[in-house]
Amino acid sequence: MAENVKPRVRVPKTASAGEVITIKTLISHQMESGQRKDKDGNVIPRSIINHFSVSFNGAPVLDVAMEPAISTNPYFEFEAKVPESGEFLFTWKDDDGSVYEDRQSIEVS
Amino acid sequence: MMMDRRDVLVSGTSAAALGMLPWAALAQDAEPEKTLEELIAEFTGGAEVTEGEGIMLDAPEIAENGNTVPISVEAEGASEILVLAPGNPVLPVATFKFGELAGKHAASTRIRLAQTQDVTAVAKLADGKFVRTAANVKVTIGGCGG
């Protein structure tokens, strides 16, 4: 069910030390809620991304437990503090056990 | 909410492809497993929850398409924010946990709403107290005033 899952993340390239930056993430996923039925009346099984987390150089930024009420192509916008140059790690976990990751580095001057 | 043109197109077409009617139509016949208050009590561990002060939930008054409703929550210094949709077949929407490098303790996302309802958010503040707030969202199915 989880084909063509593509994370897209927007992180500024540079920041000053201690600056709070805005991060936007989008991942293409149908987020099948488990509530819908197909033409024959059978329930289409739930298949969603159930967890999303962000860390910076290993320190936690945000952790989201997701339910089927999150829309198709889950989108998150949030803020993070960047004390030093480093790398953001974004992780999405799928119901089917797949894990999708994206990394973005930022230069702190 | 800031979206570029591509985002709008992507979310728009996929919402249309999924079809918004089946999900909304099914909402009524599925019984929620736990009530709103039970879920809040589970989150707080039975602690007292005050209304308003210290938490903000931003949602549109009218959502033409219940399949993708932009919301944002913010609670200064909160460690966790729980978002619930009491009118949905599955009440919990998301739980946000903020880590040490979180900037403002705020997040925006897009959620599904089965019908007109009071979207509710509960936050655990830095001092261990709990606050809640709600925002009424009118969902007009099909965009022609359902």
Side-chain angles (χ1 to χ4, degrees):
Chain A
M1 296 297 270
E3 64 271 11
N4 298 326
V5 176
K6 184 168 172 274
R8 273 170 287 178
V9 174
R10 195 173 296 170
V11 176
K13 290 266 178 292
T14 57
S16 51
E19 191 183 337
V20 172
I21 57 163
T22 300
I23 297 176
K24 292 174 189 177
T25 71
L26 184 77
I27 186 164
S28 50
H29 195 284
Q30 62 190 21
M31 296 291 282
E32 187 58 61
S33 69
Q35 298 290 331
R36 301 194 307 146
K37 290 178 184 164
D38 63 16
K39 278 192 284 264
D40 308 321
N42 304 314
V43 172
I44 305 171
R46 172 182 134 155
S47 170
I48 68 165
I49 292 176
N50 55 44
H51 193 261
F52 169 58
S53 63
V54 185
S55 64
F56 181 71
N57 290 349
V61 176
L62 181 71
D63 183 294
V64 188
M66 297 157 67
E67 302 289 340
I70 299 292
S71 299
T72 305
N73 302 333
Y75 165 86
F76 290 103
E77 183 181 333
F78 53 92
E79 293 185 347
K81 241 180 284 179
V82 278
E84 73 239 345
S85 294
E87 191 178 62
F88 281 100
L89 171 64
F90 302 87
T91 314
W92 291 262
K93 289 189 182 135
D94 197 302
D95 270 353
D96 68 8
S98 315
V99 175
Y100 317 109
E101 281 185 357
D102 194 30
R103 292 165 195 271
Q104 297 283 328
S105 46
I106 185 166
E107 205 60 50
V108 168
S109 47
Chain B
M1 181 172 70
M2 303 237 287
M3 280 197 292
D4 62 31
R5 201 165 65 110
R6 184 176 293 249
D7 287 349
V8 172
L9 283 171
V10 167
S11 62
T13 48
S14 46
L18 277 175
M20 50 187 295
L21 280 171
W23 204 73
L26 277 171
Q28 266 93 30
D29 48 61
E31 277 300 311
E33 289 161 8
K34 284 181 181 161
T35 67
L36 178 69
E37 298 308 323
E38 278 167 9
L39 285 162
I40 292 176
E42 205 170 272
F43 178 69
T44 61
E48 192 191 347
V49 185
T50 50
E51 288 276 340
E53 288 294 295
I55 182 167
M56 206 189 71
L57 170 64
D58 198 16
E61 275 176 40
I62 296 171
E64 287 190 3
N65 182 353
N67 242 329
T68 173
V69 182
I71 62 150
S72 57
V73 286
E74 181 180 345
E76 179 84 43
S79 57
E80 286 183 50
I81 302 179
L82 169 72
V83 180
L84 298 160
N88 278 10
V90 178
L91 274 64
V93 173
T95 311
F96 298 92
K97 288 184 189 151
F98 298 98
E100 54 183 290
L101 286 181
K104 208 161 55 171
H105 289 204
S108 306
T109 187
R110 300 196 280 243
I111 66 169
R112 293 174 173 146
L113 295 177
Q115 55 185 306
T116 296
Q117 56 184 286
D118 293 317
V119 178
T120 303
V122 188
K124 182 182 188 184
L125 299 180
D127 57 7
K129 292 204 174 94
F130 292 91
V131 288
R132 64 185 281 183
T133 188
N136 183 262
V137 181
K138 289 188 172 60
V139 178
T140 57
I141 294 160
C144 17

